[in-house]
Amino acid sequence: SRDIETQVRGVRGDFVRLGDSWRDAEYFRFAQEIQAAEQTMRRYLEELENYVNFLKQKAADARAMQDIR
């Protein structure tokens, strides 16, 4: 997930630099699409983190059950 976060930040940086030379109606439409994609990626990363934590807890529970046996 850190790789994805790094890539999202890279895209954001590239987009900001692109805005230095490109400012028209298409740029603003593209900006909205970039922002929507960023929001989707952030939600994905949140869900991914939650699921990883869930799996870690399940693994810890399974190890605890093995120790009991």
Side-chain angles (χ1 to χ4, degrees), residues 20-39:
D20 292 341
S21 62
W22 180 32
R23 292 285 177 155
D24 63 7
E26 286 298 310
Y27 170 84
F28 292 109
R29 188 178 66 79
F30 186 64
Q32 290 173 335
E33 290 179 20
I34 290 286
Q35 289 169 348
E38 280 182 307
Q39 288 174 349

Side-chain angles (χ1 to χ4, degrees), residues 1-2 4 7 9 12-13 21 25 35-36 44 46 49 51 56-57 60 64 66 69:
S1 86
R2 296 214 193 299
I4 295 172
Q7 290 177 352
R9 280 194 300 274
R12 167 54 67 186
S21 62
Q35 289 169 348
Y44 170 77
E46 276 181 31
E49 185 174 335
Y51 195 64
K56 285 180 180 179
Q57 184 59 50
Q66 283 181 333
R69 293 181 184 175

Side-chain angles (χ1 to χ4, degrees), residues 45-58:
L45 291 171
E46 276 181 31
E47 288 299 317
L48 178 63
E49 185 174 335
N50 291 338
Y51 195 64
V52 166
N53 290 332
F54 169 77
L55 291 175
K56 285 180 180 179
Q57 184 59 50
K58 288 291 189 183

